[in-house]
Amino acid sequence: MTTKQLYNQIQQKKSFLCVGLDVDLTKIPQHLLATEDPIFEFNKAIIDATHDLCVSYKPNTAFYEAYGLKGWQSLEKTINYINEKYPDIFTIADAKRGDIGNTSTMYAKAFLEDLNFDSVTVAPYMGKDSVEPFLAFENKHTILLGLTSNEGAFDFQTQEIDGKPMYQTVLETSKTWKNSENLMYVVGATKAEYFKEIRNIVPDSFLLVPGVGAQGGSLEDVCKFGMNKQVGLLINSSRGIIYASNQTDFAEAARTEALKLQKAMAIILEQN
Amino acid sequence: MTTKQLYNQIQQKKSFLCVGLDVDLTKIPQHLLATEDPIFEFNKAIIDATHDLCVSYKPNTAFYEAYGLKGWQSLEKTINYINEKYPDIFTIADAKRGDIGNTSTMYAKAFLEDLNFDSVTVAPYMGKDSVEPFLAFENKHTILLGLTSNEGAFDFQTQEIDGKPMYQTVLETSKTWKNSENLMYVVGATKAEYFKEIRNIVPDSFLLVPGVGAQGGSLEDVCKFGMNKQVGLLINSSRGIIYASNQTDFAEAARTEALKLQKAMAIILEQN
């Protein structure tokens, strides 16, 4: 998918919502546990109930790997279901991978080719030759960790290198890499005051923004400082939507929560 | 496994060799492709041929994920085979994971509990709360990326924060984390001149050292600057051993290459 197609979808749906599919078997409605593949059944119901309100789904691979082979099967079924039934949706494998050249290529093929995600999240610590293999895939996107939403972001990401916080060095350096037009960045909503600086460095890139809701980030603040001409934001919500209810009405409850966010986004889009 | 047990094994085998099981179906002997699980058959033969010469095996998860469900099955079978047949071996899931708290716990459970690896490699970019969940597992080890062996290591890891290269800040900071005694570090052999500084910061920790052989690092230089009283080094070799031959004699050829390294290590151990 191209960013142009993503932007078109945002305009059409009046939404830049990404729903995080972080499925924990201890948190989903217990009646689903009797089905053959509870994770997939849960995802399917959530997706069917929210696909017109969001533009992206983001399974975090940790939640699937934690269930071993069965988990990977659920991940495969989930991405295939989205790609077949809702092909306009922008899909993100939240895998935070990264390794040396040849090995990164293996990861890139696994997520962008075999599983056919539109994008994958990647950690920057190992530098250029660990990220460029992901960037080589046409019409696919590499979402580089910039400034994450957690407390630990202050351990290294905000430490200064030559008078600039490290995450800014990461953003600036990444722009010099081959096929850098395929880059997007993770920027946590809990640090809205940083968005202005970030937009100076990467004015045109899409930013994937976790941390609105449960982690305390504000949608309005993020949009105020982070939005660009093509919107340029994908606001992720996971727990706030998918665990809105753990009863048989869970899908409906997820839709209600997604709708709240979509409506707030529609108002912001109208004002901009 | 405790580091004491690992050290005992090193003394017994006169080896601190780690064999990287990075299995690429295009590089293994073609006659194995006719078997039901070529990756596992390959690993099994390599393991049986080298287990007395090395103290550790390290499958890199990228090479298994690249083959989807079937790949994960091969990984499971491989780790189970090692744990059952050679329980003294120190096993490393080279996964380079890392995510926010709760999600890191899912990864930690996947590798340290379900797959029952002795250790897992983790990326430091997201800081304390992304690593501590891995450290909480008793007698398990978290191998943090310090200074990697690739060219991209110079992009961020060697950039200076307050007059010190970033990788040193990572090492120092990580020592303040809860259960930091369960930490080991990845330090590339291609940067032997850095080992002295690193040993000043983490004198007692084990270092996992890739980059000897194919990538150009020298075993002697690494040992000269990196060895401590408990040896404290795991020298990894992947391609140089497992792809020594792609004919039916591949396991024997792997043993020959592993033996060369083991003999060189025995000499170094005797001298120290």
Side-chain angles (χ1 to χ4, degrees):
Chain A
M1 183 179 302
T2 63
T3 50
K4 178 91 174 58
Q5 288 171 311
L6 174 55
Y7 177 56
N8 288 345
Q9 198 195 161
I10 290 172
Q11 286 182 300
Q12 225 168 43
K13 292 180 175 172
K14 298 186 202 315
S15 168
F16 41 102
L17 176 63
C18 170
V19 176
L21 300 173
D22 303 349
V23 186
D24 183 335
L25 286 183
T26 65
K27 289 186 185 156
I28 70 173
Q30 296 304 293
H31 73 276
L32 290 177
L33 299 182
T35 63
E36 206 198 305
D37 188 342
I39 296 180
F40 176 64
E41 290 305 325
F42 178 79
N43 282 346
K44 193 167 159 290
I46 295 283
I47 291 163
D48 286 338
T50 58
H51 69 93
D52 57 321
L53 304 174
C54 68
V55 294
S56 179
Y57 288 109
K58 178 178 78 64
N60 184 309
T61 53
F63 290 83
Y64 299 84
E65 288 180 22
Y67 300 108
L69 270 182
K70 230 178 137 35
W72 267 84
Q73 205 154 20
S74 306
L75 180 64
E76 258 191 38
K77 280 160 77 176
T78 300
I79 181 66
N80 289 342
Y81 186 75
I82 300 170
N83 281 341
E84 276 160 31
K85 198 144 177 214
Y86 308 109
D88 291 344
I89 294 272
F90 183 77
T91 53
I92 303 170
D94 194 0
K96 301 188 175 69
R97 297 297 196 268
D99 209 304
I100 60 171
N102 175 35
T103 313
S104 269
T105 302
M106 298 299 264
Y107 278 131
K109 280 173 75 168
F111 290 110
L112 301 178
E113 222 173 70
D114 299 346
L115 289 175
N116 201 14
F117 277 92
D118 292 308
S119 66
V120 57
T121 58
V122 170
Y125 192 71
M126 296 179 73
K128 172 174 165 160
D129 54 356
S130 73
V131 182
E132 282 188 343
F134 290 93
L135 295 172
F137 290 72
E138 214 178 338
N139 289 332
K140 299 283 182 174
H141 306 268
T142 303
I143 312 182
L144 197 66
L145 299 186
L147 182 62
T148 56
S149 61
N150 63 323
E151 190 58 30
F154 297 110
D155 283 334
F156 310 120
Q157 297 167 26
T158 57
Q159 295 289 317
E160 295 206 344
I161 293 175
D162 293 331
K164 270 184 311 211
M166 191 206 167
Y167 76 87
Q168 290 187 15
T169 304
V170 168
L171 299 184
E172 280 168 8
T173 306
S174 72
K175 288 172 70 179
T176 67
W177 296 340
K178 198 175 172 189
N179 299 314
S180 64
E181 67 278 9
N182 294 334
L183 278 168
M184 299 182 175
Y185 301 91
V186 173
V187 181
T190 48
K191 301 180 176 67
E193 68 274 23
Y194 295 83
F195 273 79
K196 219 173 146 184
E197 278 298 343
I198 289 168
R199 274 301 176 210
N200 283 336
I201 306 171
V202 287
D204 302 324
S205 306
F206 263 89
L207 307 178
L208 170 64
V209 185
V212 162
Q215 291 180 60
S218 144
L219 175 66
E220 285 70 23
D221 287 354
V222 168
C223 292
K224 188 173 161 192
F225 298 112
M227 203 171 253
N228 67 14
K229 281 180 209 157
Q230 283 209 323
V231 182
L233 296 171
L234 291 171
I235 304 285
N236 183 73
S237 176
S238 303
R239 286 169 282 173
I241 291 177
I242 68 175
Y243 299 134
S245 158
N246 66 356
Q247 306 299 313
T248 50
D249 68 342
F250 72 99
E252 207 175 312
R255 181 174 177 81
T256 304
E257 291 306 313
L259 191 60
K260 279 184 206 164
L261 277 166
Q262 185 273 322
K263 279 185 175 167
M265 288 175 178
I267 291 170
I268 292 167
L269 287 173
E270 232 163 72
Q271 291 167 342
N272 279 271
Chain B
M1 183 178 303
T2 64
T3 51
K4 178 91 175 57
Q5 288 172 311
L6 174 55
Y7 177 56
N8 288 344
Q9 198 195 161
I10 290 172
Q11 286 182 299
Q12 228 168 41
K13 293 180 174 170
K14 297 188 203 311
S15 168
F16 41 102
L17 176 63
C18 170
V19 176
L21 300 172
D22 303 349
V23 187
D24 183 335
L25 286 183
T26 64
K27 289 186 184 156
I28 69 173
Q30 296 304 294
H31 73 276
L32 290 177
L33 298 182
T35 63
E36 205 199 304
D37 188 341
I39 295 179
F40 176 64
E41 291 305 326
F42 179 79
N43 282 345
K44 192 166 160 291
I46 295 283
I47 292 163
D48 286 338
T50 58
H51 69 93
D52 57 322
L53 304 174
C54 68
V55 295
S56 178
Y57 288 110
K58 179 179 78 63
N60 185 308
T61 54
F63 290 82
Y64 300 83
E65 287 179 23
Y67 300 109
L69 270 183
K70 230 176 139 33
W72 267 84
Q73 206 153 22
S74 307
L75 180 64
E76 258 191 37
K77 281 161 76 177
T78 301
I79 179 68
N80 289 343
Y81 185 75
I82 301 169
N83 281 341
E84 276 159 32
K85 198 144 176 213
Y86 309 108
D88 291 344
I89 294 273
F90 183 77
T91 52
I92 303 169
D94 194 1
K96 301 189 176 70
R97 299 296 196 267
D99 208 305
I100 60 171
N102 175 37
T103 313
S104 269
T105 302
M106 299 299 264
Y107 279 131
K109 281 173 74 167
F111 290 109
L112 301 177
E113 223 173 69
D114 299 346
L115 290 174
N116 200 17
F117 277 93
D118 291 309
S119 66
V120 57
T121 58
V122 170
Y125 191 71
M126 294 178 74
K128 173 174 166 162
D129 54 356
S130 73
V131 182
E132 281 188 344
F134 290 93
L135 295 172
F137 289 72
E138 214 177 338
N139 290 331
K140 299 284 183 173
H141 305 270
T142 303
I143 311 181
L144 196 65
L145 300 186
L147 183 62
T148 56
S149 62
N150 62 324
E151 190 58 31
F154 297 111
D155 283 334
F156 310 120
Q157 298 168 25
T158 58
Q159 296 289 317
E160 296 207 345
I161 294 174
D162 292 332
K164 270 183 313 210
M166 192 206 167
Y167 75 88
Q168 291 188 15
T169 305
V170 168
L171 298 184
E172 280 169 9
T173 306
S174 72
K175 288 172 70 179
T176 67
W177 296 340
K178 197 174 172 189
N179 299 314
S180 63
E181 67 277 10
N182 294 333
L183 277 169
M184 299 181 174
Y185 301 92
V186 172
V187 181
T190 47
K191 301 179 176 66
E193 68 273 23
Y194 294 83
F195 273 80
K196 219 173 145 184
E197 279 298 343
I198 289 169
R199 273 301 176 209
N200 284 336
I201 306 171
V202 288
D204 302 324
S205 306
F206 264 90
L207 308 178
L208 170 64
V209 184
V212 162
Q215 291 178 59
S218 144
L219 175 65
E220 285 70 24
D221 288 353
V222 168
C223 292
K224 187 172 161 194
F225 298 112
M227 204 171 254
N228 67 13
K229 282 179 209 157
Q230 284 209 323
V231 182
L233 295 172
L234 291 171
I235 304 286
N236 183 74
S237 176
S238 303
R239 285 169 282 173
I241 292 177
I242 68 174
Y243 299 134
S245 158
N246 66 356
Q247 305 300 312
T248 50
D249 68 343
F250 72 99
E252 207 176 312
R255 181 174 176 82
T256 305
E257 290 306 313
L259 191 60
K260 279 185 206 163
L261 278 166
Q262 186 272 324
K263 279 185 175 168
M265 288 174 180
I267 293 170
I268 291 169
L269 288 172
E270 233 164 73
Q271 291 167 342
N272 279 271

